[in-house]
Amino acid sequence: MNIALKNPSLSGYEIPAYSPSGQECALFESAWLRQLPLLLKGPTGCGKTRFVAHMAAKLGLPLSTVSCHDDLAAADLTGRYLLKGGDTVWVDGPLTRAVREGGICYLDEIVEARKDVAVVLHPLTDDRRILPLERTGEVLEAPPGFMLVVSYNPGYQNLLKSLKPSTRQRFVAIEFDFLPRAREIAVVAEESGLDAARVAPLVDLAHRLRALKGHDLEEGVSTRLLVYCASLVDSGLSLRDAVIATMIEPLTDEPDVKAALIEVADAIVR
Amino acid sequence: MNIALKNPSLSGYEIPAYSPSGQECALFESAWLRQLPLLLKGPTGCGKTRFVAHMAAKLGLPLSTVSCHDDLAAADLTGRYLLKGGDTVWVDGPLTRAVREGGICYLDEIVEARKDVAVVLHPLTDDRRILPLERTGEVLEAPPGFMLVVSYNPGYQNLLKSLKPSTRQRFVAIEFDFLPRAREIAVVAEESGLDAARVAPLVDLAHRLRALKGHDLEEGVSTRLLVYCASLVDSGLSLRDAVIATMIEPLTDEPDVKAALIEVADAIVR
Amino acid sequence: MNIALKNPSLSGYEIPAYSPSGQECALFESAWLRQLPLLLKGPTGCGKTRFVAHMAAKLGLPLSTVSCHDDLAAADLTGRYLLKGGDTVWVDGPLTRAVREGGICYLDEIVEARKDVAVVLHPLTDDRRILPLERTGEVLEAPPGFMLVVSYNPGYQNLLKSLKPSTRQRFVAIEFDFLPRAREIAVVAEESGLDAARVAPLVDLAHRLRALKGHDLEEGVSTRLLVYCASLVDSGLSLRDAVIATMIEPLTDEPDVKAALIEVADAIVR
Amino acid sequence: MNIALKNPSLSGYEIPAYSPSGQECALFESAWLRQLPLLLKGPTGCGKTRFVAHMAAKLGLPLSTVSCHDDLAAADLTGRYLLKGGDTVWVDGPLTRAVREGGICYLDEIVEARKDVAVVLHPLTDDRRILPLERTGEVLEAPPGFMLVVSYNPGYQNLLKSLKPSTRQRFVAIEFDFLPRAREIAVVAEESGLDAARVAPLVDLAHRLRALKGHDLEEGVSTRLLVYCASLVDSGLSLRDAVIATMIEPLTDEPDVKAALIEVADAIVR
Amino acid sequence: MNIALKNPSLSGYEIPAYSPSGQECALFESAWLRQLPLLLKGPTGCGKTRFVAHMAAKLGLPLSTVSCHDDLAAADLTGRYLLKGGDTVWVDGPLTRAVREGGICYLDEIVEARKDVAVVLHPLTDDRRILPLERTGEVLEAPPGFMLVVSYNPGYQNLLKSLKPSTRQRFVAIEFDFLPRAREIAVVAEESGLDAARVAPLVDLAHRLRALKGHDLEEGVSTRLLVYCASLVDSGLSLRDAVIATMIEPLTDEPDVKAALIEVADAIVR
Amino acid sequence: MNIALKNPSLSGYEIPAYSPSGQECALFESAWLRQLPLLLKGPTGCGKTRFVAHMAAKLGLPLSTVSCHDDLAAADLTGRYLLKGGDTVWVDGPLTRAVREGGICYLDEIVEARKDVAVVLHPLTDDRRILPLERTGEVLEAPPGFMLVVSYNPGYQNLLKSLKPSTRQRFVAIEFDFLPRAREIAVVAEESGLDAARVAPLVDLAHRLRALKGHDLEEGVSTRLLVYCASLVDSGLSLRDAVIATMIEPLTDEPDVKAALIEVADAIVR
């Protein structure tokens, strides 16, 4: 995992830095080669979005990202009719554009979307690889250069929000986790500008806080928050103020939990 | 069941390969002959969609497939008024087109659709065989060449999502299941390009995992996932990586269940 | 009850065959004579729709049928404003057309409709016999030749879906049930083309399965499914395959129940 | 209470027959004189609607009736903008018309309407007697000749559907009940054409069935159903068939309850 | 409290009579002076609306009243786009008009409104005193002559319908209650025309019935109902008929409660 | 915290007074410098909105504030299509305008908004800093001068309304609380015009009432209410009337709680 300050989706000429932690790059390339759709699972801020940007740039493919949410419906992906000059004119959605033009369509946090979205993906994710547009009567055949990638955070999954087996079983799946200690120190140091020696105790604190996930905390500290913390320290804020503002306040509102976390932080970071 | 890489719904000139596992072809033809609607029941990825494509091609009938979902309403099937040049113009939906022109209209995962869809089918599925379009005042009589086929996965059925008896009792019904071992090995080998000897332990693993359905797993491994797995192996990925990415990660997010499945996999596939 | 292959609602020149099982024809005629609305109650596929078609033809009245569903609102019956050439133009719904022109308006499965539908019927079903169109400001007086008929299946009735007493008490009501054995054999033989001797055990099986309603089955086998079964046998399918496809699979998805039903079938039909 | 076959709301020249059972006519006139709004409470089919028609004709006032239902919103009463020739044009609803022109506006089953309806009535039912049209910015002052009458059936009242005290306390209220025996016999005989001697046991049966309300029956037999029953008998149907079709089937779907009611009927009517 | 027959909101030239029962007039004037928003709390029909009309007239301010209800949304207060001649044109809502032109905007029963209404009030009720119109991009600054007044009945407050602390704490609040005995007798006598001696026992009865609030009655008798009762008596109706129609039937539908209330009434009023 | 009577968002030339109670100003500037989004947590009326106005003026940045509510959807922030002259024209929402033009976009009470709002913020709050407009197909890159600030009151947070970890972990977070005694007295005196000696007991009372939060009171007295109270006293109202109208009535409707609070007030303020 590797968080660069450059915006990967807007600069087509350089490959966003990413150092693989397993076989995820080989798996992505195999899936791409065999035209299989991909599902990325993993916690908040562990680098899934960056990984997709990295692979898209490496394979020379355009990337279109959609952040899914409660009100995202199939029509937001496929397109809808708009009024123009008194007529209703069809306007492609991001998925339809990607199917027409090829490239990767990345649906982030797919379980958040309305259920009709998942099912719209079905004919695109079996051997037919087609996108039927019911409203226009078109049936688009995905070109070889089209790939569908979706992601979600299993930690949130519940009865109401999960992928149905009939949807999940259409994807090759990869699980992501946080980086090992040395790698995470290097990444945070590079991203924030703070030297590695001062980053190390912050990463140690993050490991301690991640171990509390499921007990006092809903989710552990992400690498992103570590970068925030080191950045604030680098820009002159006191270590303690930075830790509280980035590694404790964003995790909880409970006074008791917060006091316990500050105690943990004071013991590790000083 | 037989999964070909060609797209059956777009190439009218060849019949998608399908080797029947029972009387389903004879039943389909009898239903077609007597103008009776058909209901296909069975688990995810066992070949229902392929079967319909096969029979449509064999009988020389056009096929129109609709993937049903939570927000699919009757009007999405029958049609709706759109604004054109200041007027509202009626535009046929896929069901209306199929009734006007003949051929098979296949509604995949019918229980997902909104309830008004099921009831719109009623006058089409009794001896009247008519489609009344309330909004336009038309009453369409289905031609002899029209056939309605619907499918669903009984494993999902629950109190909120099921077909009412008054709808179910309008269909001749066929239940589908996975292929027997030898047949599934042959199909996966042919679809993936991997030789049968290397496919065999994957199929054995699938049988073991399917036996866990209802206990630790919501749904067993589909033939589709087996084809994915063999394809990734065929393209050079290690056997273990491929098995985890296609036969374990897509089935569960529970760390305990996942560990148990990997143990099962390690014992069978090596 | 009598299921003919001809479409009764489209051919005005012949009366759909129907042999009454009680005083239902006399009751219908009396209600028609005294301008009283009629409510038909009874299980799925027992012939309510056919009965209405028969009486309409017999009395020489046009018949307009509406299948009610969850999203059917009052405006679907009375009419709505549509955009035409920049203006909003009122378009009559099926109920309004029937009130203007006379004839029978038949609302099938009335309890499925949205509640505003039931109440729209109120001024039509008391001595006023008027249909106020709030949106246009019109008040239509039903002509003597107008009759309202509604139906529902009491087996489905629950707390959420039932007719309010203030609606029910506006109708003369008739209960329907399945035909006696000899009559049902004759009907199925005639409809399917299979000879009565081969139909008889199928009817016996249906009687056995109907007795299970409320225990293992939500609803018993309809006469329609019997006709399906005999038709498939008549077209060459094996008796057992036909029975499973039409009298067992459409009734249940439960493996245990299904096995028990097949045992019952094997004992009676061979 | 008195049910005539003539349509009171369409024929302005005769007063619909109504024989008062208490001080309801005097109360209505006093409320009218002092410009107070009126609330009528009572069971299904006991004559509330007829009473309003009678009083409107007696006082020489135009009458506008709205049957309330689940989807009736304030805008259905006050009016809404419609598109005409490219412009949005305001069209008055029935309440606004009544306020502009004077006369009685009768909202039947007010508790069924959406809650915004009740509150729209507030400024009309206190000493301001105004109807503010928020959408147009108008504030209409009700003329002395305007009167608001609403009704509901307390038997249905539940937590979800009831008038808030702040609404109820704006009305003078009258409770209605069924007619005493002799009066009901006379009314049914006159309405149906059947002679009083044959009507008497029907009324006796109705009294017995009304006593079961709250126990086995949700609502007792209305006078309207008695008129239906006598009408069918008068047109030649057997007494027992008519009783079942009008006084038992419309009341219940429960086989046990139905059997018990038939026993009661057989004991009283023969 | 004081209920006059004149319509205070339509006649700008006279001040609606109101005799204060505490410091409410001084409080209103202080809040007005310091540009603070005001919240009025109190039971149904105790004179909150009249109080606002009185103060508006006294301070020479235009008054705009909105009765809130379940479907009242922010856009109903701020304004919305309407189609005119093919364009969408912005039309101010009553709150926006009041902010533009100054004067009192009174939102009656604010807790009934949809929640977005309460939050739209926030920037108007802190020191910013602005109304941002998100849809048009305007930010209106309230002139010194603008004052916001809201009211609700705490008796209805429940978990679903209450003002959030972040909304409540933006208002100066006054609680209202019914008038003391002598004052209420005087007011009812003046409003109804009935002499005070005959009004006195009615007020005594009201006090008795108000004491039952929370036990058998959801809400006590309002002063408005007392005026209704005295008015009907004054126009010739018997005392008992008037009491039942105005002080008992509007309060309850329960036969037991009603019988008990009539007993109370018979003991006090005769 | 510091509440000025001038409107900070409308007068660009002066900096709204604000005296920091901790490192919040330094933290804000660091976050601004490193282009990190900011989350402000704290109780009602403790000065979060004022703090943002102060920092915006200090840094010379335009400020756009959106009060979030239950019906605020992503499209209210990003923009929507409107009809103009027969065409649909895209109109930017406040967030899109801020991204295009730079400056601070402040979303007040973010947890109140619909969930799609939170997720729309994701691509703006990671290293991409982009705002994809799905409906128009644009991808806006935030300029260095853009900063996103959100706030909420943890006291309201519940299961239904909270920020998901994947959203929270995208923000640097600061917690706010009420001012210490001496500082609050100074602020209230300055804001109201009442001298500090008379303000002191009011602040003491507020501290007492804040201690009851969570027991009898949902929320403690805000500094805003203290300013209201002192303002009313300054304009001549009696101390007790002012305290009841601003520090007791706005907090509770429970007669028991109110009586207890008045007792507390009478002991402290006299």
Side-chain angles (χ1 to χ4, degrees), chain C residues 194-205:
Chain C
L194 196 69
D195 62 282
R198 297 184 71 195
V199 167
L202 297 176
V203 170
D204 291 340
L205 175 58

Side-chain angles (χ1 to χ4, degrees), chain A residues 91-109:
Chain A
V91 177
D92 281 346
L95 180 62
T96 303
R97 279 197 300 271
V99 170
R100 286 199 207 273
E101 300 161 12
I104 296 173
C105 185
Y106 175 43
L107 307 181
D108 193 17
E109 303 226 26

Side-chain angles (χ1 to χ4, degrees), chain E residues 87-88 114 152 157 169 175, chain F residues 71 83 85 192 220 253 258:
Chain E
D87 275 17
T88 44
R114 279 172 40 188
Y152 76 97
Q157 222 185 0
Q169 297 216 357
E175 179 158 53
Chain F
D71 290 329
L83 265 183
S192 65
D253 296 325
K258 205 183 291 183

Side-chain angles (χ1 to χ4, degrees), chain B residues 224-240:
Chain B
R224 179 184 294 125
L225 285 181
L226 274 171
V227 174
Y228 281 12
C229 185
S231 295
L232 292 182
V233 173
D234 188 57
S235 75
L237 210 69
S238 85
L239 193 59
R240 197 169 187 267

Side-chain angles (χ1 to χ4, degrees), chain B residues 16-28:
Chain B
Y18 181 86
S19 51
S21 64
Q23 296 304 308
E24 69 266 32
C25 294
L27 249 168
F28 193 108

